[in-house]
Amino acid sequence: QKEVEQDPGPLSVPEGAIVSLNCTYSNSAFQYFMWYRQYSRKGPELLMYTYSSGNKEDGRFTAQVDKSSKYISLFIRDSQPSDSATYLCAMSRGDSWGKLQFGAGTQVVVTP
Amino acid sequence: GAVVSQHPSRVICKSGTSVKIECRSLDFQATTMFWYRQFPKQSLMLMATSNEGSKATYEQGVEKDKFLINHASLTLSTLTVTSAHPEDSSFYICSARMGDYGYTFGSGTRLTVV
């Protein structure tokens, strides 16, 4: 079993719809949770960074962390074709090495 | 925000030659830099962790004599792929931790060995 599970998709939604992404994890030691967006042939871009359970909102993006269920989510409101990309969840134990564990990434396609 | 500048973005080299990839933190000091490899349609695979002024720590299965990492200053880390072969062709990405604000990534280097 992988430490971080993420459905690779692809997930296709019409423009303006809400995109719902999620990851589950098995290691309760993870404390920091991140969502990255990666366009083809580019480095990942940090979208959201959370530490504790709960919700965090930034513009059209909302991240949710439920540590008791070991489940994290990312919601994208009013999706645009420019949101078409691969979304990667990542998490860290927060120890001195700070290594990230990534999900497989979900490919999202927003159709006009 | 914090930026990691990675160069080159794309390189083609002949089999048997060496290639150096540079990552610079532009507006912050990166005491720790991470190097990843990514195959098409796959997630990032951590290759090694480099700390400024000390030897890099390699993940299991990564050949440290093939992938030389140098982190001589707080703003520069380099990855050298030595005696490259076609199977080393991949997308290489560096990353640095920005204190309590997550991790920032370079734009990646696409290496093609012919």
Side-chain angles (χ1 to χ4, degrees):
Chain A
Q1 183 187 7
K2 294 179 182 177
E3 276 195 295
V4 181
E5 297 280 357
Q6 182 178 10
D7 188 334
L11 176 65
S12 182
V13 299
E15 183 175 357
I18 295 175
V19 176
S20 176
L21 303 164
N22 59 77
C23 289
T24 59
Y25 62 95
S26 57
N27 190 342
S28 58
F30 288 136
Q31 299 182 47
Y32 299 92
F33 305 90
M34 287 142 273
W35 285 97
Y36 287 88
R37 177 175 62 195
Q38 185 177 26
Y39 293 111
S40 181
R41 299 172 183 257
K42 298 290 185 182
E45 171 193 1
L46 180 65
L47 292 175
M48 300 290 282
Y49 177 74
T50 54
Y51 171 68
S52 58
S53 286
N55 294 356
K56 183 176 181 179
E57 191 173 315
D58 184 1
R60 297 186 296 116
F61 299 94
T62 299
Q64 290 184 348
V65 174
D66 182 347
K67 285 188 175 181
S68 62
S69 301
K70 297 188 182 66
Y71 186 91
I72 68 171
S73 302
L74 177 72
F75 300 96
I76 307 173
R77 292 183 298 280
D78 187 25
S79 59
Q80 305 295 313
S82 57
D83 293 326
S84 298
T86 296
Y87 291 80
L88 298 144
C89 65
M91 44 200 79
S92 168
R93 296 197 309 248
D95 56 16
S96 59
W97 288 116
K99 291 194 292 188
L100 286 179
Q101 190 69 42
F102 282 90
T106 300
Q107 182 185 359
V108 172
V109 178
V110 180
T111 55
Chain B
V3 174
V4 172
S5 176
Q6 183 172 348
H7 294 280
S9 59
R10 181 179 296 183
V11 59
I12 300 174
C13 71
K14 290 184 177 181
S15 187
T17 62
S18 296
V19 173
K20 180 184 283 188
I21 302 170
E22 289 189 352
C23 275
R24 294 180 183 273
S25 54
L26 297 186
D27 50 5
F28 68 104
Q29 293 182 332
T31 53
T32 302
M33 196 79 83
F34 303 92
W35 287 93
Y36 293 87
R37 183 173 181 175
Q38 187 177 33
F39 291 104
K41 298 190 182 298
Q42 294 188 25
S43 192
L44 285 75
M45 182 191 79
L46 180 65
M47 298 174 66
T49 302
S50 73
N51 290 290
E52 184 266 337
S54 62
K55 289 184 178 179
T57 301
Y58 291 82
E59 296 299 301
Q60 190 173 8
V62 178
E63 298 177 60
K64 59 182 179 182
D65 293 330
K66 167 169 273 297
F67 300 101
L68 300 180
I69 292 173
N70 184 285
H71 195 159
S73 77
L74 288 171
T75 59
L76 175 65
S77 178
T78 61
L79 167 67
T80 301
V81 183
T82 63
S83 186
H85 291 283
E87 58 265 29
D88 299 323
S89 298
S90 189
F91 193 56
Y92 293 89
I93 315 173
C94 62
S95 171
R97 181 168 178 171
M98 303 179 293
D100 293 333
Y101 301 101
Y103 300 73
T104 187
F105 285 80
S107 54
T109 297
R110 182 158 301 282
L111 170 63
T112 303
V113 184
V114 297

